[in-house]
Amino acid sequence: MTTNKLYMAIYEDIRGKIASGEYAPGTKLPSEHEFCVIYDTSRGTIRNALDLLVEEGLVNRHPGKGVYVLDNNAIAFSFGGLVSFKEASESSGQKFETTVPYFEEITITDKLHERTKLPLGAIAYCLHRVRELDGERIILDINYFLKEKVEGLTKEIAERSIYDYIEQQLGHKIGFAQRVIQVEPATTKDREHLIMKSYGFVVVVKNYVYMHDGELFEYTESRHHPERFVFTDFARRR
């Protein structure tokens, strides 16, 4: 196994143990040296795996004390990480479900090009996904994916994980995203698909997502119920 695949495998294993409660909130993780023995690998490989967990907001480093598991009762999307709803919700240990009430192939028009930055005239999948957490509809995702980069996408795949399909089935490597986060008035569509209660606004996260080679392939508007989601980041004074 290559070093890259090894640290990803270790990261997935530790993340799974956090999700299952084996490493409970507030728990101090084994030291880097102890992890080296557990996984029979180098300290650099362990450090890379822990870096990913820090980026996702699952753990935090306390200099001189160790790495501790954070409380993730709410789904926390890290500004510094690029994770799917499925990954974030599984890490929180909560029950999630995705439904896809709309799925069509479209052509990127002038108006859509201005909105999404996807190539004018390109064929794209347009879909709406409603994210349900513990029985409550809390996110409406409006997605646009370039068809040539996500060939063969179906409604059934979209109900599971599009990112898993892209990376595991198509073998593409997702690189990075540019994000715009703002508060907007709730629309008729928001009220149709989300449990808005008395709220008149949603938190909108606009994602421009690029492949590893720098090519834009996705534009997504995630329209969040303001009561249930927390966006996290970690900053250190240098």
Side-chain angles (χ1 to χ4, degrees):
M1 184 180 293
T2 66
T3 300
N4 184 54
K5 289 184 178 180
L6 179 57
Y7 86 75
M8 286 297 296
I10 294 169
Y11 150 75
E12 292 285 358
D13 188 59
I14 298 173
R15 190 177 70 170
K17 290 177 179 177
I18 292 173
S20 70
E22 184 172 341
Y23 294 139
T27 299
K28 180 182 177 182
L29 293 180
S31 67
E32 289 183 0
H33 174 72
E34 289 169 328
F35 271 140
C36 287
V37 174
I38 292 169
Y39 293 106
D40 190 23
T41 190
S42 68
R43 181 163 290 184
T45 299
I46 295 299
R47 194 165 293 151
N48 286 338
L50 294 176
D51 285 345
L52 290 178
L53 295 168
V54 170
E55 286 181 7
E56 280 196 42
L58 296 177
V59 303
N60 192 23
R61 286 190 175 96
H62 293 268
K65 296 182 179 180
V67 180
Y68 289 80
V69 179
L70 293 172
D71 189 349
N72 281 280
N73 287 331
I75 294 181
F77 285 90
S78 170
F79 289 127
L82 181 55
V83 298
S84 67
F85 175 81
K86 177 175 180 288
E87 291 167 336
S89 54
E90 285 179 342
S91 295
S92 75
Q94 295 168 287
K95 183 180 179 181
F96 74 96
E97 184 176 350
T98 296
T99 57
V100 184
Y102 179 81
F103 186 103
E104 296 288 344
E105 286 188 23
I106 63 166
T107 300
I108 299 298
T109 61
D110 286 327
K111 186 175 181 179
L112 281 176
H113 170 66
E114 183 177 351
R115 177 184 177 189
T116 69
K117 298 183 183 178
L118 293 171
L120 182 64
I123 304 300
Y125 296 109
C126 175
L127 54 150
H128 298 169
R129 291 188 288 176
V130 178
R131 312 297 203 160
E132 186 174 304
L133 182 67
D134 292 334
E136 186 176 357
R137 301 190 304 275
I138 58 174
I139 306 178
L140 170 62
D141 277 349
I142 301 174
N143 304 115
Y144 296 86
F145 290 93
L146 281 184
K147 182 178 178 180
E148 66 172 318
K149 294 298 182 181
V150 197
E151 188 71 45
L153 182 64
T154 65
K155 180 178 177 179
E156 290 70 30
I157 292 169
E159 289 174 344
R160 299 191 296 272
S161 173
I162 295 176
Y163 279 14
D164 276 356
Y165 175 69
I166 291 170
E167 295 178 323
Q168 304 301 322
Q169 300 298 316
L170 299 181
H172 298 322
K173 188 174 182 180
I174 299 170
F176 59 94
Q178 295 175 323
R179 291 191 176 121
V180 177
I181 301 175
Q182 60 196 61
V183 175
E184 295 183 359
T187 65
T188 301
K189 191 172 292 182
D190 294 328
R191 296 187 184 282
E192 176 186 354
H193 293 293
L194 304 180
I195 306 296
M196 291 302 299
K197 300 179 182 177
S198 61
Y199 288 99
F201 64 93
V202 291
V203 179
V204 181
V205 183
K206 299 178 181 179
N207 285 283
Y208 302 87
V209 189
Y210 298 77
M211 290 295 185
H212 191 257
D213 62 6
E215 183 176 358
L216 178 68
F217 78 98
E218 173 196 351
Y219 170 77
T220 287
E221 285 184 17
S222 287
R223 306 181 67 84
H224 295 251
H225 189 289
E227 196 174 66
R228 293 294 302 273
F229 271 65
V230 176
F231 292 84
T232 67
D233 195 14
F234 293 92
R236 299 190 188 280
R237 181 174 172 83
R238 293 185 180 277

